[in-house]
Amino acid sequence: MKNSLLGLCLLLSVTFVAEAQKKKIEKKFDKTAAIANLNYLTSDELKGRDPSYPEMAMAYNYIAIHLEDAGAKPLPGADGFFQNIPFRLSSPPSKGQITIDDSIYSQGDNLLVLDGESLSGTYELVDVGFGTPEDFEGKDLTGKIAVSSVGAPDKMSPAELFSLGSEKTANAKKQGAVALIERFNIPSIPWQLISNYLNRDQMGIDKGESSKLPYIWVKDISNTLPKKIAKGKAKSAILQIEGKINKPIEGKNVLAWIEGTDKTLKNEFVMLSAHYDHIGIGKPDAEGDSIYNGARDNAVGTVAVMNAAKFFAENPPKRSILLALWTAEEKGLLGSRYFAENPLIPLNQIIYNLNIDGAGYNDTSIITVIGLGRTTGDGLVIEAVEEFGLKAVADPAPEQGLYDRSDNVNFAKEGIPAPTFSLGFTAFDDEINKYYHKAADEVDSLDLDYVTLYWKSYILAAQNIANAAEQPKWVAGDKYEEAGKALYGDK
């Protein structure tokens, strides 16, 4: 009887605390101000928040001012509320052609010059497998072209293809190569889709001298090129890459923090993140609108983090809060990748990342959590969502690989538990595709009552994690479990 009474008292205590926290969020939340922020970030004045446009400064300055006004503090080592990123905008060549044996590769057809400078001449080809550091080790590539497969055997997501490409160009340059050719040989991804997307200006992180190295993809679905090299039929390549233009762009992650109240736990951080960029100006719709304002993707998420900053500055939890608004997610998760590679807070002090991204919603009774079921913090997120009358559901389309297509993955692969808190969707249906990367994704198309519940749920979920007695972990067997153990020193 005593144990039953104790259990009942604990249950009532937890319920009372949760209800009290919900009421505090309800009382403090300023819906009018939140919608005003949403309207500004999606206004035509910002021209779709493309990080290569000068109007992007209006977005990051606006966010930084609001974080400062809320009472959040700049991170040590930052430039005020910014982490500056050296981006490089690389245009397609005016002429791109490679001749290998009896095959001719042409820009936009079966060839894509993604980065680097102009280069013409005849150069020896050297196959370096997947282009791992071990594949390059000991090879003299002076004056030669390195040829590799894209990605790596267990790393084939779009973000991984580009991050690995950057590593490979650095290693190729180190070994004296004059160019890197990667063979695109993923049959499940249509080459034409890839070509349509990449045969235009590409943004990357400037890596100095290695960024000058021509970085090239050729279509090789049948894996014929390495066979030709092995048989001596493709000893060299004739390159004609002309008219390459590369321009430096300064990017900015917007960062701030709020100190926790617990003398021990305040040394741990819960990172609340969202990307604030979108895709800029695109093809006009039937009404002639060509500005893609990105309300769902991802102004809603940006405002969620801004709301969280205001709440937690006034009501700090036990752990510290790291507020992170990433740039250039739409360019290949570049802003978050730069922070993961150049952290202003040691990554082993960031115990959880509640990220926001999404294509939209088709069910206003739910919140879709990409990664639900993968960490021990799930219950705290589910509880927060339920407090506001919604239901947390897992990824309904795992075949899309959504977990590895947003900023959270740059931290998950380092070992940090990192789900993405998305607007509610049950499938990629017409309702999603109507707005995803379309000019129609405007504030006036949103159900703002639902979005407000979403914002409040996000704050409560973050608060639950930040006040939890135990640090969330990856569940046993998850593909990032070992990385988590290595990061946090778990046995």
Side-chain angles (χ1 to χ4, degrees):
M1 178 65 74
K2 184 183 292 184
N3 288 339
S4 297
L5 288 172
L6 179 60
L8 179 60
C9 289
L10 287 172
L11 178 62
L12 290 173
S13 175
V14 169
T15 302
F16 176 79
V17 170
E19 181 64 26
Q21 290 174 335
K22 176 192 173 186
K23 286 181 178 178
K24 183 176 286 187
I25 292 169
E26 294 272 23
K27 182 179 179 180
K28 296 286 186 179
F29 194 89
D30 188 339
K31 181 178 178 180
T32 301
I35 293 173
N37 291 335
L38 188 63
N39 279 318
Y40 179 77
L41 290 171
T42 58
S43 63
D44 285 354
E45 187 180 7
L46 272 63
K47 294 187 178 178
R49 306 190 307 282
D50 185 307
S52 67
Y53 296 175
E55 290 79 8
M56 191 64 160
M58 299 166 69
Y60 60 64
N61 284 324
Y62 183 85
I63 297 165
I65 288 169
H66 278 72
L67 294 183
E68 183 175 23
D69 287 348
K73 298 181 290 187
L75 289 176
D79 177 14
F81 287 89
F82 302 122
Q83 181 183 39
N84 299 324
I85 307 172
F87 285 137
R88 171 187 177 93
L89 193 66
S90 186
S91 67
S94 58
K95 180 177 182 179
Q97 184 173 294
I98 298 178
T99 303
I100 301 175
D101 189 26
D102 57 354
S103 299
I104 297 177
Y105 301 89
S106 300
Q107 179 72 22
D109 180 13
N110 51 2
L111 167 73
L112 292 166
V113 181
L114 300 176
D115 201 358
E117 298 182 339
S118 298
L119 180 69
S120 294
T122 302
Y123 304 93
E124 184 181 340
L125 297 174
V126 179
D127 189 354
V128 292
F130 271 103
T132 64
E134 294 74 24
D135 290 330
F136 280 106
E137 192 174 340
K139 283 189 171 62
D140 180 8
L141 299 175
T142 305
K144 303 172 186 177
I145 297 174
V147 180
S148 78
S149 296
V150 294
D154 58 343
K155 296 179 179 178
M156 288 293 180
S157 72
E160 288 171 326
L161 296 185
F162 290 111
S163 64
L164 286 171
S166 179
E167 293 174 18
K168 293 175 191 181
T169 53
N171 286 327
K173 180 70 176 179
K174 182 180 178 182
Q175 299 302 115
V178 296
L180 172 67
I181 295 176
E182 284 198 303
R183 302 179 304 102
F184 187 87
N185 54 359
I186 307 175
S188 60
I189 304 177
W191 171 263
Q192 195 56 51
L193 179 68
I194 291 291
S195 181
N196 290 343
Y197 182 73
L198 296 179
N199 190 25
R200 51 186 170 179
D201 290 356
Q202 294 299 315
M203 182 176 282
I205 297 170
D206 194 328
K207 296 290 188 177
E209 286 300 311
S210 67
S211 288
K212 298 178 181 178
L213 196 80
Y215 174 43
I216 302 159
W217 279 9
V218 297
K219 180 183 178 183
D220 189 26
I221 303 299
S222 300
N223 295 301
T224 58
L225 188 50
K227 296 172 186 176
K228 285 186 175 184
I229 294 174
K231 293 178 180 179
K233 292 183 178 181
K235 293 182 179 180
S236 62
I238 303 171
L239 265 65
Q240 292 175 284
I241 301 172
E242 302 170 3
K244 281 287 293 162
I245 298 175
N246 302 295
K247 184 172 74 170
I249 301 284
E250 185 174 64
K252 292 181 186 289
N253 287 329
V254 189
L255 302 167
W257 75 293
I258 295 162
E259 187 173 16
T261 59
D262 186 275
K263 64 180 181 179
T264 300
L265 293 180
K266 71 178 182 180
N267 295 313
E268 299 177 355
F269 291 80
V270 174
M271 182 164 69
L272 307 182
S273 66
H275 73 90
Y276 70 95
D277 65 305
H278 194 55
I279 61 173
I281 296 175
K283 182 179 178 181
D285 62 13
E287 288 72 43
D289 186 2
S290 62
I291 299 178
Y292 290 39
N293 299 104
R296 293 160 175 78
D297 182 18
N298 190 29
V300 163
T302 302
V303 174
V305 177
M306 292 165 68
N307 291 336
K310 186 175 181 180
F311 178 81
F312 288 124
E314 297 175 358
N315 306 276
K318 293 178 180 179
R319 289 185 175 85
S320 294
I321 298 292
L322 171 58
L323 305 152
L325 287 310
W326 310 124
T327 187
E329 187 271 351
E330 301 287 1
K331 304 294 186 182
L333 318 182
L334 297 181
S336 58
R337 176 179 142 201
Y338 189 82
F339 184 88
E341 294 174 352
N342 305 273
L344 299 181
I345 288 174
L347 294 182
N348 62 2
Q349 288 182 244
I350 303 172
I351 60 101
Y352 194 82
N353 173 207
L354 192 58
N355 184 54
I356 292 183
D357 196 9
Y361 61 89
N362 55 23
D363 188 335
T364 57
S365 71
I366 64 173
I367 287 173
T368 301
V369 182
I370 309 299
L372 195 70
R374 300 181 64 171
T375 82
T376 59
D378 286 349
L380 299 172
V381 176
I382 291 169
E383 174 190 298
V385 171
E386 289 179 347
E387 280 294 319
F388 286 97
L390 302 172
K391 181 181 179 182
V393 302
D395 183 357
E399 73 282 354
Q400 295 277 343
L402 297 177
Y403 191 91
D404 293 333
R405 287 169 52 187
S406 189
D407 292 305
N408 60 293
V409 73
N410 283 325
F411 301 98
K413 65 186 181 183
E414 297 293 338
I416 299 170
T420 291
F421 194 88
S422 298
L423 294 166
F425 72 98
T426 55
F428 278 93
D429 60 8
D430 290 343
E431 183 63 20
I432 298 294
N433 291 322
K434 179 179 177 182
Y435 300 103
Y436 179 57
H437 286 188
K438 300 283 198 318
D441 188 9
E442 305 267 12
V443 171
D444 61 10
S445 70
L446 293 172
D447 180 335
L448 292 174
D449 289 335
Y450 169 64
V451 169
T452 300
L453 290 176
Y454 173 83
W455 284 331
K456 293 175 180 178
S457 299
Y458 181 73
I459 292 171
L460 184 54
Q463 188 176 48
N464 286 350
I465 297 292
N467 285 331
E470 298 294 329
Q471 173 181 336
K473 304 287 186 182
W474 295 101
V475 299
D478 191 274
K479 76 174 185 176
Y480 295 116
E481 180 191 12
E482 291 306 314
K485 288 181 178 179
L487 180 65
Y488 301 119
D490 299 337
K491 296 180 179 179

